[in-house]
Amino acid sequence: MSFPLLTVTAAVPAVGAILTAAVPAARRTAAKWLALLVSLATLVLAGLVFVRFEPGGERYQLTESYAWIKDFGVRYELGVDGIGVALIALTALLIPFVILAGWHDADPLETSSKRWRPTQGFFALILMVEAMVILSFEATDVFLFYILFEAMLIPMYFLIGGFGDRAHAGSDENAAAQRSYAAVKFLLYNLVGGLIMLAAVIGLYVVAGNFSLTEIAEARANGSLEMATSTERWLFLGFFFAFAVKAPLWPLHTWLPNAMGEATAPVAVLITAVVDKVGTFAMLRFCLGLFPEASKWATPAIIVLALISIVYGALLAVGQRDIKRLVAYASISHFGFIILGIFAMTTQGQSGATLYMVNHGISTAALMLVAGFLISRRGSRLIADYGGVQKVAPVLAGTFLIGGLATLSLPGLAPFVSEFLVLVGTYARYPVAGVIATTGIVLAALYTLVLYQRTMTGPVKEEVRELPDLRVRELAVVVPLIALLIFLGVFPKPLTDVVNPAVQHTMSDVQQKDPQPEVEAAK
């Protein structure tokens, strides 16, 4: 098609970010509405991408390719497969809810200030992150992807460090110090991963002579490009390390609880439901697509790390006293499931992993945003400061329960389908790993139900006696997310139809077929 739909889909939030930042200081409300309208326009464009994509067609569709840095073979090259389309839709879907949920999170405490415009900056940074994430899901040039992979750290750093959670125990100075620590830790971890990836990107160029994912994969398939085994493994490790930090995979996960704990609830959703998906997406597109033999070589070690993430993250979630840190550790456990499904090297596992990325994004957004509404009312993130909330705010408690049940993958809600596929796909090739991974389900039920019991049931604490229920704006955020969880839980076909052909291509890249069930011959 001649119309550059992929470019426009990413350009609209980028331009919207600039316009939002330029809104005069006295027009904070106008900046909010502008950001919301831009995010809705992006959602419409993402919907067009989803509709125009043909699941049974070519692997990469709606492609665009323009010369960028000719001397080094760098091109502005875009294209989407079914996995990219699903994650673009997730990103565009969540950003309007993030903006609505954070409507008052960046209102300045000193309204008389005419020099600093935190409200405009907050929403502009969110839109800029959206633009970079969408473009990263579209990029088929490795160098272009790397630039986006690193550039999105900058707005995220300011969102964590400059617009932290106001419900912080202790003095303002202590809160600022904690936010600064979390933001710097986030930046350093991801920068180190990015620098190692840069070395691998340069190495890939030396070996392949260009950065085009499609050209390199085609050359590898037809035998015109050969990599020494050791070279391929080193390059794979360079890419995988950066993606494992972003994902985050144990033991490179420690930045996430700090970042999500100190960020506002909408920014915490942006981190784990949107930005971190770039890491797991890149494992499928780049690690398996560029380095198939090295991916199979590293699979046993990665499966062990994924299992540790599942169990370790869930165990730490059980022992948390902070609501937001509990959700953060639960997310580490869920990312373990996603990575396990990717490297199980089965159709069910990789389809489940892709669905898990989408469903985890929706369920975590629902749970974290309701938790954010609760925290903003009480002014505390500590579980012990709550009790009996369901008696004074039943709608808030009910939506919190549904978000929690989705987190533990209750049948009938969207995450169940994806988690079931991951476990089935893993068990088919690695039965022991599949059995160990099921412990994550048991632990998820434990930390979710204990959290609900301690905060929502029991005697009403004096501090929550006057707690208001969800308001119209908050219901506009939560109700659509819950409706999606139910819809995709009972009818996941719209997603599976788009994802499955892309998974078949990925399985072909690594030259793997699903294990055949062993049955006795009929006598």
Side-chain angles (χ1 to χ4, degrees), residues 14 80 118 185 259 293 364 410 520:
V80 288
K185 189 174 184 179
E293 294 303 320
T364 299
L410 183 76
E520 294 183 3

Side-chain angles (χ1 to χ4, degrees), residues 216-469:
I216 295 173
E218 183 179 351
R220 301 239 16 209
N222 61 31
S224 60
L225 172 62
E226 295 183 1
M227 289 188 194
T229 300
S230 59
T231 300
E232 181 176 345
R233 289 178 179 179
W234 280 111
L235 293 178
F236 168 85
L237 290 174
F239 277 79
F240 180 79
F241 182 86
F243 303 152
V245 173
K246 183 84 78 178
L249 179 68
W250 183 92
L252 306 172
H253 67 284
T254 59
W255 62 267
L256 183 66
N258 296 101
M260 288 184 65
E262 299 305 323
T264 64
V267 172
V269 170
L270 195 63
I271 294 169
T272 190
V274 177
V275 173
D276 287 354
K277 298 302 188 301
V278 176
T280 47
F281 163 80
M283 291 179 189
L284 279 165
R285 173 168 284 191
F286 296 102
C287 286
L288 272 60
L290 294 172
F291 315 110
E293 294 303 320
S295 298
K296 290 186 283 188
W297 162 75
T299 287
I302 295 172
I303 286 178
V304 170
L305 294 178
L307 291 174
I308 294 174
S309 289
I310 291 170
V311 179
Y312 175 82
L315 284 172
L316 288 186
V318 171
Q320 289 304 304
R321 297 181 298 173
D322 183 311
I323 297 174
K324 292 170 69 178
R325 289 178 70 90
L326 185 151
V327 178
Y329 280 110
S331 292
I332 292 169
S333 181
H334 295 148
F335 273 102
F337 277 106
I338 294 171
I339 295 170
L340 181 67
I342 292 172
F343 285 91
M345 301 292 184
T346 61
T347 302
Q348 300 98 323
Q350 293 187 358
S351 294
T354 304
L355 291 177
Y356 214 131
M357 292 185 225
V358 176
N359 295 334
H360 170 263
I362 300 171
S363 62
T364 299
L367 180 61
M368 178 60 83
L369 292 178
V370 176
F373 299 147
L374 178 66
I375 292 168
S376 66
R377 284 160 164 73
R378 173 67 176 84
S380 173
R381 308 194 312 240
L382 298 179
I383 297 172
D385 288 342
Y386 296 89
V389 174
Q390 67 179 10
K391 296 178 181 177
V392 297
V395 177
L396 189 154
T399 53
F400 190 82
L401 177 61
I402 296 175
L405 293 176
T407 298
L408 63 82
S409 299
L410 183 76
L413 297 176
F416 170 77
V417 179
S418 46
E419 194 164 286
F420 178 78
L421 286 173
V422 167
L423 291 173
V424 169
T426 302
Y427 187 84
R429 195 178 294 277
Y430 303 103
V432 175
V435 171
I436 295 173
T438 58
T439 60
I441 302 175
V442 178
L443 293 171
L446 180 60
Y447 62 68
T448 300
L449 296 178
V450 168
L451 172 64
Y452 183 83
Q453 179 188 39
R454 292 180 178 175
T455 56
M456 301 296 163
T457 66
V460 180
K461 289 201 171 184
E462 189 63 33
E463 294 82 0
V464 303
R465 193 170 296 279
E466 302 299 326
L467 212 66
D469 214 334

Side-chain angles (χ1 to χ4, degrees), residues 20-376:
T20 301
V23 172
R27 300 296 182 92
R28 293 193 304 274
T29 302
K32 297 175 184 180
W33 281 106
L34 175 60
L36 180 60
L37 291 174
V38 169
S39 68
L40 291 174
T42 306
L43 178 58
V44 171
L45 291 168
L48 288 176
V49 172
F50 194 93
V51 170
R52 293 296 299 269
F53 183 82
E54 298 177 6
E58 297 181 0
R59 179 172 187 175
Y60 294 107
Q61 300 179 31
L62 309 177
T63 55
E64 303 172 30
S65 184
Y66 309 97
W68 183 14
I69 308 175
K70 291 185 178 180
D71 293 341
F72 295 98
V74 179
R75 301 185 65 81
Y76 176 80
E77 190 173 88
L78 307 180
V80 288
D81 60 1
I83 299 169
V85 165
L87 292 175
I88 289 170
L90 170 70
T91 302
L93 174 71
L94 290 182
I95 296 301
F97 298 124
V98 167
I99 290 173
L100 267 179
W103 201 253
H104 298 298
D105 285 356
D107 288 349
L109 298 177
E110 296 292 336
T111 56
S112 60
S113 173
K114 298 297 183 182
R115 293 177 298 173
W116 172 237
R117 295 177 293 177
T119 303
Q120 288 87 333
F122 180 74
F123 293 104
L125 290 170
I126 290 174
L127 290 175
M128 189 56 68
V129 171
E130 179 183 24
M132 292 179 181
V133 170
I134 288 175
L135 202 56
S136 68
F137 291 142
E138 299 171 345
T140 55
D141 183 277
V142 177
F143 188 81
L144 173 62
F145 174 83
Y146 170 76
I147 294 297
L148 297 165
F149 187 82
E150 290 290 87
M152 69 180 68
L153 301 179
I154 298 171
M156 288 306 307
Y157 169 81
F158 287 108
L159 283 170
I160 297 168
F163 301 93
D165 189 358
R166 292 175 179 175
H168 193 288
S171 64
D172 291 340
E173 293 78 7
N174 182 52
Q178 291 295 327
R179 288 198 300 270
S180 177
Y181 172 79
V184 170
K185 189 174 184 179
F186 162 83
L187 187 64
L188 289 179
Y189 268 66
N190 284 274
L191 277 179
V192 169
L195 289 174
I196 293 174
M197 180 183 170
L198 177 60
V201 169
I202 295 171
L204 180 66
Y205 177 76
V206 171
V207 173
N210 66 79
F211 293 105
S212 173
L213 172 67
T214 54
E215 291 183 17
I216 295 173
E218 183 179 351
R220 301 239 16 209
N222 61 31
S224 60
L225 172 62
E226 295 183 1
M227 289 188 194
T229 300
S230 59
T231 300
E232 181 176 345
R233 289 178 179 179
W234 280 111
L235 293 178
F236 168 85
L237 290 174
F239 277 79
F240 180 79
F241 182 86
F243 303 152
V245 173
K246 183 84 78 178
L249 179 68
W250 183 92
L252 306 172
H253 67 284
T254 59
W255 62 267
L256 183 66
N258 296 101
M260 288 184 65
E262 299 305 323
T264 64
V267 172
V269 170
L270 195 63
I271 294 169
T272 190
V274 177
V275 173
D276 287 354
K277 298 302 188 301
V278 176
T280 47
F281 163 80
M283 291 179 189
L284 279 165
R285 173 168 284 191
F286 296 102
C287 286
L288 272 60
L290 294 172
F291 315 110
E293 294 303 320
S295 298
K296 290 186 283 188
W297 162 75
T299 287
I302 295 172
I303 286 178
V304 170
L305 294 178
L307 291 174
I308 294 174
S309 289
I310 291 170
V311 179
Y312 175 82
L315 284 172
L316 288 186
V318 171
Q320 289 304 304
R321 297 181 298 173
D322 183 311
I323 297 174
K324 292 170 69 178
R325 289 178 70 90
L326 185 151
V327 178
Y329 280 110
S331 292
I332 292 169
S333 181
H334 295 148
F335 273 102
F337 277 106
I338 294 171
I339 295 170
L340 181 67
I342 292 172
F343 285 91
M345 301 292 184
T346 61
T347 302
Q348 300 98 323
Q350 293 187 358
S351 294
T354 304
L355 291 177
Y356 214 131
M357 292 185 225
V358 176
N359 295 334
H360 170 263
I362 300 171
S363 62
T364 299
L367 180 61
M368 178 60 83
L369 292 178
V370 176
F373 299 147
L374 178 66
I375 292 168
S376 66

